[in-house]
Amino acid sequence: MKTYEQINDRISSGKAVVLTADEIMDYVDKKGLAAAAQEVDVVTTATFGPMCSSGCFLNFGHSKPKIRISEAWVQDVLVYSGVAAVDVYLGATQLRHGDPANMYYPGEFRYGGGHVIEDLVAGKSLQLFALSYGTDCYPLRELRTYFTIKDLNQAIMVNPRNCYQNYNVAINRSDRTIYTYMGRLEPNMKNANYCSAGQLSPLLNDPLYETIGVGTRVWLAGAQGHVYAEGTQHAGLCERTADGIPTGGAGTLALTADMKQMRAEFVRGVSLRGYGVSLALGVGVPIPILNERILKYTCVRDRDIPAPLIDYGSDYPQNTGKVIARTNYEELRRGEITIGGKTVEVGSLSSYYKALEIANLLADEIRRGDFLLAQPSAPLRADTKMKPLVRREPS
Amino acid sequence: MEMITQKLMFYFPKCECEKPIIYHLVKDHGLIVNVFRAKVTPEEEGYLVLDVTGTPEQIQSGIDFVKTFRVTVNYSGKGVTWEEQRCTHCGYCVPYCPTEALRLDNPATRRVIFDESKCIECLACIRVCPFGACASVF
């Protein structure tokens, strides 16, 4: 048994033993669970992939004369300005003004909110265009100017939902090609796409939320941020394997961090043909090895993680909840799976390569004593389900 | 004599497009030609990406012939480029690439590599890459 304080003391003194979630299984197989739990302080987990529920608050500071922004665009991408005078929220999936979207199907969606966020973190000069109705205290009615992230008072990423614990594998049983947020899916189950770091993914290494909770310090695109709440659609109460691994979606994290500390290579705009724009993000989460049980959870392997196949040609859009087959991440990573005797090619939208890089970067920061663990102030709930939207008549 | 295959890209400046260059490569220089992709429009610049198979001497004489038309010959045949800095190695492109030019080099690290010599320039990767890592020079 170890405490957060003991682990942080070892990190501060540069003595912490840190392994990635990719290395820990073989280490535990070799050393045995009890000895490894004594020895190892932290296991680092990570993921890199599109996370649509992401965005950031920007504060521009006040111009002369002042403006109370009522509508605004950054690089022609609409930002939300229904907050204080010069605060805006820039969302990852917002399209650029004038984007034809899917008018000429499948649309290209070359640039949008996610790309603005990438350019902002990369230090590029961006255009702000803002309008106002004018008030006595904020008389300016129109503003066009250029800024970089250095000019902003704050650029704070605030993501309502990241790091889905487990996720669907998308396949298409219809007879036409479809374009989804899970990529292009060829007709008649020709291919399937998944989007998870599997055995490296944060919440799959702490399936019952024993260490990851509200207040946990995380590595968000190179910056030290934290979990500020359970993510939207968090549903801890779900079907699980005997080892506690959810058989579908389940838990999510709401994350925040200072974008001025981020690295552009881990904040990447995404264009999904026929679907829209998004943001791919790199997230690393350290798991303190407080006891043997927590260590055992981090030893999860791709073969232990169930992956539900969902038909995005019909069942997903119609919200039937039907799972057409189940596979696991070991099979998915082989590049093809067999469904009812048919061989299906498999691709990934999540980068294991980048996730591995992040797990190693975080491990190095902890070993150097630069990243201390934060004990959660509240756990993630394990007793809630995800509710559907019921369409009602006016009462 | 040993036969070799070489991938080439021809760049045609304006107005050099009307001559039957491919016909002469086959007929006069004895080359087996496999055109991957061509954009040759009268009055505009043009591009041609192709494999030529023949003896080294035949290939050289064919290239010398082509060069008499002010055509620029690019020996790497790079009509499609892959920018490693933009690639996140997600592997989404891999199943869409019909020749395994884009593939994972190691099942443990899952790093994506681009083997230019296998690329037939179908442009599938350009259409699917969410990060704009693949591009066409024309």
Side-chain angles (χ1 to χ4, degrees):
Chain A
M1 291 285 280
K2 289 193 224 67
T3 64
Y4 280 86
E5 290 72 24
Q6 287 167 337
I7 292 173
N8 276 338
D9 285 346
R10 286 170 61 86
I11 294 172
S12 298
S13 58
K15 289 179 187 156
V17 176
V18 188
L19 279 91
T20 68
D22 187 73
E23 300 164 333
I24 191 69
M25 319 79 140
D26 290 343
Y27 191 83
V28 168
D29 282 352
K30 199 172 72 188
K31 293 259 173 172
L33 192 67
Q38 286 287 325
E39 204 176 318
V40 177
D41 296 300
V42 183
V43 170
T44 60
T45 67
T47 184
F48 180 96
M51 302 193 199
C52 290
S53 239
S54 299
C56 55
F57 281 104
L58 309 178
N59 178 281
F60 293 103
H62 286 287
S63 56
K64 266 187 190 177
K66 289 182 177 178
I67 186 169
R68 203 235 81 84
I69 297 173
S70 56
E71 288 172 89
W73 294 260
V74 176
Q75 296 293 79
D76 295 323
V77 174
L78 184 71
V79 293
Y80 178 76
S81 55
V83 276
V86 290
D87 283 336
V88 301
Y89 185 79
L90 165 61
T93 68
Q94 189 71 47
L95 302 187
R96 183 162 52 177
H97 177 74
D99 191 307
N102 262 339
M103 198 180 290
Y104 307 104
Y105 179 83
E108 289 190 60
F109 303 97
R110 287 196 185 180
Y111 194 87
H115 301 86
V116 179
I117 293 170
E118 174 181 335
D119 287 346
L120 185 67
V121 172
K124 291 188 181 166
S125 175
L126 307 177
Q127 178 190 245
L128 167 67
F129 179 60
L131 297 173
S132 174
Y133 47 84
T135 72
D136 291 336
C137 42
Y138 296 103
L140 193 65
R141 305 226 358 217
E142 189 176 322
L143 173 71
R144 192 185 297 274
T145 186
Y146 298 84
F147 69 95
T148 71
I149 194 167
K150 285 186 182 161
D151 298 318
L152 299 174
N153 290 307
Q154 283 81 25
I156 301 175
M157 190 170 273
V158 178
N159 304 338
R161 180 169 72 254
N162 289 165
C163 301
Y164 239 123
Q165 191 162 16
N166 197 347
Y167 212 74
N168 298 340
V169 182
I171 196 162
N172 173 20
R173 291 204 289 190
S174 79
D175 58 5
R176 69 174 183 95
T177 298
I178 60 170
Y179 296 85
T180 75
Y181 71 92
M182 291 294 283
R184 191 176 90 194
L185 299 168
E186 308 292 344
N188 305 313
M189 305 203 299
K190 190 169 176 291
N191 71 321
N193 288 325
Y194 68 93
C195 188
S196 171
Q199 64 191 16
L200 205 48
S201 188
L203 289 174
L204 288 172
N205 282 280
D206 181 16
L208 301 172
Y209 326 120
E210 292 190 42
T211 69
I212 303 173
V214 177
T216 293
R217 184 171 292 126
V218 301
W219 187 102
L220 182 53
Q224 290 191 17
H226 64 267
V227 177
Y228 70 83
E230 66 180 26
T232 52
Q233 297 181 17
H234 174 87
L237 189 62
C238 61
E239 194 191 338
R240 292 173 186 270
T241 66
D243 297 323
I245 305 292
T247 57
T252 68
L253 301 176
L255 303 180
T256 184
D258 179 4
M259 291 168 77
K260 295 191 183 201
Q261 312 301 323
M262 289 184 181
R263 292 169 55 176
E265 63 202 278
F266 298 106
V267 185
R268 300 291 306 279
V270 170
S271 298
L272 286 164
R273 184 173 283 248
Y275 176 73
V277 296
S278 187
L279 182 71
L281 271 179
V283 182
V285 182
I287 294 181
I289 303 306
L290 303 173
N291 56 49
E292 288 178 25
R293 190 180 65 252
I294 288 168
L295 177 64
K296 189 159 184 284
Y297 283 132
T298 66
C299 294
V300 67
R301 289 181 190 267
D302 281 336
R303 62 173 176 256
D304 308 321
I305 305 166
L309 264 94
I310 308 286
D311 179 12
Y312 277 61
S314 166
D315 291 320
Y316 184 86
Q318 298 309 321
N319 204 1
T320 68
K322 194 174 163 196
V323 174
I324 63 168
R326 289 189 192 276
T327 178
N328 64 54
Y329 280 87
E330 188 175 277
E331 287 179 10
L332 290 168
R333 289 203 204 284
R334 287 195 193 115
E336 52 180 53
I337 51 173
T338 307
I339 305 167
K342 185 179 162 64
T343 302
V344 180
E345 279 196 279
V346 179
S348 168
L349 283 150
S350 173
S351 172
Y352 196 80
Y353 179 81
K354 273 233 181 286
L356 211 49
E357 185 185 356
I358 292 163
N360 280 302
L361 284 169
L362 174 57
D364 287 342
E365 279 185 42
I366 297 170
R367 287 183 197 117
R368 283 199 309 267
D370 295 338
F371 192 110
L372 292 174
L373 308 191
Q375 185 165 2
S377 53
L380 299 174
R381 291 184 297 170
D383 60 348
T384 52
K385 280 186 176 175
M386 186 172 147
K387 289 184 281 194
L389 175 64
V390 180
R391 298 169 73 182
R392 297 193 179 99
E393 296 301 317
S395 54
Chain B
M1 198 64 175
E2 190 200 356
M3 301 277 273
I4 58 165
T5 297
Q6 186 166 5
K7 193 173 176 190
L8 298 170
M9 182 168 76
F10 297 161
Y11 166 69
F12 300 78
K14 267 186 186 175
C15 305
E16 294 296 340
C17 317
E18 290 173 15
K19 305 188 175 68
I21 287 174
I22 298 293
Y23 167 83
H24 289 292
L25 286 179
V26 176
K27 184 85 173 155
D28 303 342
H29 301 273
L31 291 170
I32 299 165
V33 172
N34 185 11
V35 176
F36 295 131
R37 198 153 63 99
K39 184 185 173 195
V40 185
T41 311
E43 304 289 306
E44 284 178 30
E45 57 184 18
Y47 297 86
L48 190 62
V49 180
L50 70 168
D51 261 357
V52 290
T53 302
T55 65
E57 288 71 25
Q58 284 172 319
I59 290 174
Q60 193 52 52
S61 75
I63 289 171
D64 291 342
F65 160 74
V66 168
K67 282 181 172 170
T68 63
F69 297 99
R70 293 202 296 128
V71 170
T72 305
V73 178
N74 176 342
Y75 294 89
S76 71
K78 259 192 191 172
V80 167
T81 58
W82 171 71
E83 202 183 325
E84 187 161 11
Q85 288 299 100
R86 292 211 64 78
C87 178
T88 68
H89 305 276
C90 62
Y92 173 52
C93 56
V94 170
Y96 302 97
C97 178
T99 58
E100 296 182 353
L102 284 159
R103 61 180 187 274
L104 301 176
D105 76 333
N106 175 338
T109 65
R110 305 191 69 76
R111 182 170 172 271
V112 172
I113 53 165
F114 177 54
D115 182 350
E116 214 172 271
S117 67
K118 287 194 165 186
C119 176
I120 56 164
E121 310 213 353
C122 68
L123 311 184
C125 54
I126 296 172
R127 285 189 287 268
V128 299
C129 178
F131 301 98
C134 299
S136 168
V137 299
F138 63 94

